[in-house]
Amino acid sequence: MFIDAMAHLNDPRVEDLETVLERAKRAGITHIINAGVDPCLDQELPNSTAPLIYKAYGIPPMAVGKKPLNVQLDSLRERLAEDRVVAIGEIGLDKRAGMPDWNLQVEAFQAQLALAQTLNLPVIIHCVKATGLLLQELHQGPELIAGGLWHGYTGSVESVNQIENAGLHISLGGQVS
């Protein structure tokens, strides 16, 4: 079994989903976890059994504030009740220029951690230029009883133990050299 643990199949740059799925199948991928990019806007994907598509929904930092947080959270709760949902994500913090208000990102992140705990779902973490701050929020927030994945980790070796102690696995993205 070979799982793509975090794909964005509804990304507008995916012009031919059937070709993407066929390529994944030829590469030996049996399962894909498709992470939505905004629970208020994500389109439903066609059913696929080869590879089998599972779902993750979350309010990633770049989507925070596009609608009032309570509206986004209500949409998220509805999406998480769908079939084949296996995680909440991507969620996290992003300190790049042009990202939404920091305090609103933190509020959305903490609300989603609480939801993950309530629903006993793992999380998929998105973090850019905020490793220490995100770790601090994880320690202050609800326990991740179902664990999760820190997607595309590019931080220091020193932070790896803290991430693992928080119950998270680490995936390495394309930025690692």
Side-chain angles (χ1 to χ4, degrees):
M1 181 183 314
F2 190 44
I3 300 171
D4 181 340
M6 222 285 309
H8 289 299
L9 298 175
N10 345 35
D11 188 303
R13 294 173 291 185
V14 177
E15 295 177 3
D16 184 359
L17 180 60
E18 290 302 319
T19 300
V20 170
L21 294 175
E22 184 57 39
R23 248 186 19 235
K25 181 180 175 181
R26 283 194 314 267
I29 296 173
T30 57
H31 299 74
I32 296 174
I33 299 174
N34 182 63
V37 294
D38 185 334
C40 295
L41 303 174
D42 288 329
Q43 301 283 326
E44 187 66 31
L45 293 171
N47 283 334
S48 170
T49 56
L52 185 58
I53 299 174
Y54 289 97
K55 304 173 196 174
Y57 291 109
I59 307 165
M62 57 287 290
V64 168
K66 287 187 177 178
K67 291 193 176 189
L69 184 56
N70 65 321
V71 170
Q72 289 180 308
L73 289 168
D74 287 345
S75 256
L76 177 58
R77 285 183 197 93
E78 288 176 20
R79 300 310 292 259
L80 293 172
E82 293 177 9
D83 290 338
R84 293 191 180 167
V85 170
V86 295
I88 295 180
E90 287 181 77
I91 66 173
L93 301 174
D94 195 322
K95 286 286 265 184
R96 289 178 290 184
M99 295 308 286
D101 175 76
W102 178 256
N103 291 327
L104 190 53
Q105 284 188 52
V106 170
E107 183 181 356
F109 182 60
Q110 286 294 340
Q112 291 175 97
L113 291 176
L115 193 54
Q117 184 184 51
T118 299
L119 298 175
N120 194 26
L121 284 171
V123 296
I124 301 172
I125 300 288
H126 167 102
C127 182
V128 178
K129 297 185 177 184
T131 299
L133 296 166
L134 193 137
L135 285 167
Q136 181 180 339
E137 291 300 322
L138 283 174
H139 292 295
Q140 293 174 359
E143 180 185 0
L144 296 175
I145 54 179
L149 174 71
W150 189 300
H151 166 66
Y153 183 68
T154 59
S156 70
V157 172
E158 293 77 24
S159 296
V160 170
N161 285 340
Q162 291 178 300
I163 293 168
E164 290 175 337
N165 289 339
L168 298 169
H169 297 277
I170 296 173
S171 76
L172 303 175
Q175 297 95 357
V176 173
S177 54

